[in-house]
Amino acid sequence: MTDIQNKSIQTFLDELASKSATPGGGSASALMGAQGAALISMACHLTIGKPQYTEVEAQMQRLLEKAEALRAELTLLIKADIDVFNRLMAAYRLPKDTEAEKSARSEAIQAILKDATEVPLACAQACREVMALSQIAVEKGSVGVVSDAGAAAMSAYSGLKTAALNVYINTGGLKDRDFSTAKLAELAAILNGADESVEAIFQQVKAKL
Amino acid sequence: MTDIQNKSIQTFLDELASKSATPGGGSASALMGAQGAALISMACHLTIGKPQYTEVEAQMQRLLEKAEALRAELTLLIKADIDVFNRLMAAYRLPKDTEAEKSARSEAIQAILKDATEVPLACAQACREVMALSQIAVEKGSVGVVSDAGAAAMSAYSGLKTAALNVYINTGGLKDRDFSTAKLAELAAILNGADESVEAIFQQVKAKL
């Protein structure tokens, strides 16, 4: 089977729109994050080498490296979300006729729900980092690509919020309350200030246009 | 040349990240909107036919049709943004050695800047409509896909805000102030209430998870 990132945009959108449960919101969230990271890289590429921006060239080079690492991570997460969701669906289909089967099925579901919490949590973290990088791109990058740096922030923000919804849904099914409380606390820390930050970046970009 | 929607996600992200000015934030914004529309279609497909949702089946069918029409429009806008930007860049490269050349070049740029305003404005309008549809999907669709309906709202919202940045940048270069004032007023009407709406949808989805 072709890995999701090697499918065309049209096919991805068709599969997203289809009856099939995967790809769904989780993959969409990772793609939004990856797109945000890519837009930061673009802003860096179009700043580096410009005579007016030699002062920030080293900083833009580091920004580019970080954005590319996050883009690679988020691109993998498009597929990771599909994989963990398919594993979860398979666990739900396990037999539950005997007490032993019921217990084995429940254990399998609970184990996979933990993975299904970690995947969007990693996505949320990476998207938040993309937002932080976009702030630097907006402030220090070429003014010619400031709207692309702003687009990066918007895209990563929606990836973050969508990932958050996926953490909520999967922790909701978890019996291990200590685990889910810990993960929800991690998520809350990641989300902290994101709404204000994206609005500030939007206004900052608008003011530069 | 392969149309953008027929390129793989990996290639699209690579081209987005590259030195090339297209695709940029405008295409990213249309893709976010298209992705939002696709997620609504998915939520409709996974609601229609379910015995618990027969009461809303006709409504979900209409929602699906509207979402698919918007998805088609937004998918075309991914490419439209590239086309208009390339035309704009070509106009900037026109000769400007004589007064006649300068004047012809300036007229060409001004004409294309109007198109370059209309494209993201159409994208903003379509994204706002996707947001409105996602509200219905969240309220009336299957609770099993409510996080996907929420993801649709987030994705369309970031598409809307990114498109807005592109309207600002292109109207900024326009000499026809009547035109740009009219277009900025249209945009303001589209943006009106969007921030509050996306936050309300997010909270509504979170409460259902």
Side-chain angles (χ1 to χ4, degrees), chain A residues 4-10 12-14 16-25 28 31-32 34-35 38-39 41-42 45-46 48 68 71 75 78 144 147-148 150-151 154-155 157-158 161-162 164-166 168-169 195 199 202 205-206 209, chain B residues 4-10 12-14 16-25 28 31-32 34-35 38-39 41-42 45-46 48 68 71 75 78 144 147-148 150-151 154-155 157-158 161-162 164-166 168-169 195 199 202 205-206 209:
Chain A
I4 188 84
Q5 69 274 19
N6 295 320
K7 292 187 180 179
S8 74
I9 288 175
Q10 187 64 62
F12 174 75
L13 291 172
D14 289 345
L16 199 58
S18 79
K19 227 182 174 65
S20 161
T22 57
L31 176 55
M32 291 183 241
Q35 188 173 254
L39 285 161
S41 297
M42 174 193 178
H45 281 304
L46 291 170
I48 294 167
E68 286 297 283
R71 178 159 80 93
T75 304
I78 304 174
S147 70
D148 300 293
M154 290 310 311
S155 196
Y157 172 73
S158 61
K161 299 282 275 195
T162 301
L165 293 178
N166 284 298
Y168 297 139
I169 201 170
D195 293 345
E199 179 58 20
F202 183 84
V205 173
K206 194 179 165 185
L209 294 177
Chain B
I4 188 84
Q5 70 273 19
N6 295 320
K7 293 188 179 179
S8 74
I9 289 176
Q10 186 65 60
F12 173 74
L13 291 172
D14 288 345
L16 199 60
S18 80
K19 231 184 169 63
S20 162
T22 57
L31 176 54
M32 290 183 242
Q35 188 173 253
L39 285 161
S41 298
M42 174 194 179
H45 279 305
L46 291 170
I48 293 166
E68 286 297 283
R71 178 159 81 92
T75 304
I78 304 174
S147 70
D148 301 293
M154 292 309 312
S155 195
Y157 172 72
S158 61
K161 298 282 275 195
T162 300
L165 293 177
N166 285 298
Y168 297 139
I169 201 170
D195 292 346
E199 179 57 20
F202 183 84
V205 173
K206 194 179 164 186
L209 294 177

Side-chain angles (χ1 to χ4, degrees), chain B residues 15-185:
Chain B
E15 292 186 1
L16 199 60
S18 80
K19 231 184 169 63
S20 162
T22 57
S27 295
S29 130
L31 176 54
M32 290 183 242
Q35 188 173 253
L39 285 161
I40 293 169
S41 298
M42 174 194 179
C44 291
H45 279 305
L46 291 170
T47 301
I48 293 166
K50 291 244 166 96
Q52 318 90 293
Y53 295 97
T54 39
E55 261 190 30
V56 295
E57 187 150 326
Q59 191 176 7
M60 296 308 282
Q61 196 64 52
R62 286 193 300 277
L63 193 61
L64 174 60
E65 281 161 27
K66 286 182 191 168
E68 286 297 283
L70 287 165
R71 178 159 81 92
E73 182 187 346
L74 285 156
T75 304
L76 289 176
L77 286 169
I78 304 174
K79 182 175 182 299
D81 186 82
I82 295 175
D83 291 343
V84 77
F85 195 85
N86 286 342
R87 281 171 58 214
L88 189 60
M89 290 301 102
Y92 277 113
R93 284 190 301 267
L94 287 173
K96 46 178 179 175
D97 299 323
T98 68
E99 284 308 313
E101 282 176 352
K102 275 184 200 168
S103 152
R105 175 178 175 272
S106 171
E107 262 181 50
I109 291 171
Q110 289 298 316
I112 300 168
L113 273 176
K114 288 188 178 178
D115 294 343
T117 299
E118 299 285 9
V119 168
L121 194 61
C123 185
Q125 177 66 46
C127 285
R128 192 68 167 98
E129 288 171 29
V130 171
M131 284 181 67
L133 299 188
S134 70
Q135 172 89 57
I136 302 170
V138 165
E139 284 172 13
K140 304 289 177 72
S142 162
V143 71
V145 285
V146 72
S147 70
D148 301 293
M154 292 309 312
S155 195
Y157 172 72
S158 61
L160 165 62
K161 298 282 275 195
T162 300
L165 293 177
N166 285 298
V167 172
Y168 297 139
I169 201 170
N170 292 322
T171 49
L174 274 170
K175 287 180 186 161
D176 183 345
R177 299 318 295 168
D178 288 345
F179 178 89
S180 69
T181 303
K183 295 301 159 184
L184 287 171

Side-chain angles (χ1 to χ4, degrees), chain A residues 20-22 82-97 101-102 104-106 108-109 112:
Chain A
S20 161
T22 57
I82 295 174
D83 291 344
V84 77
F85 194 84
N86 286 341
R87 281 171 57 217
L88 190 60
M89 290 301 102
Y92 276 114
R93 284 191 301 266
L94 286 174
K96 47 177 178 174
D97 298 323
E101 280 175 355
K102 274 183 200 169
R105 175 176 175 274
S106 171
I109 291 170
I112 301 166

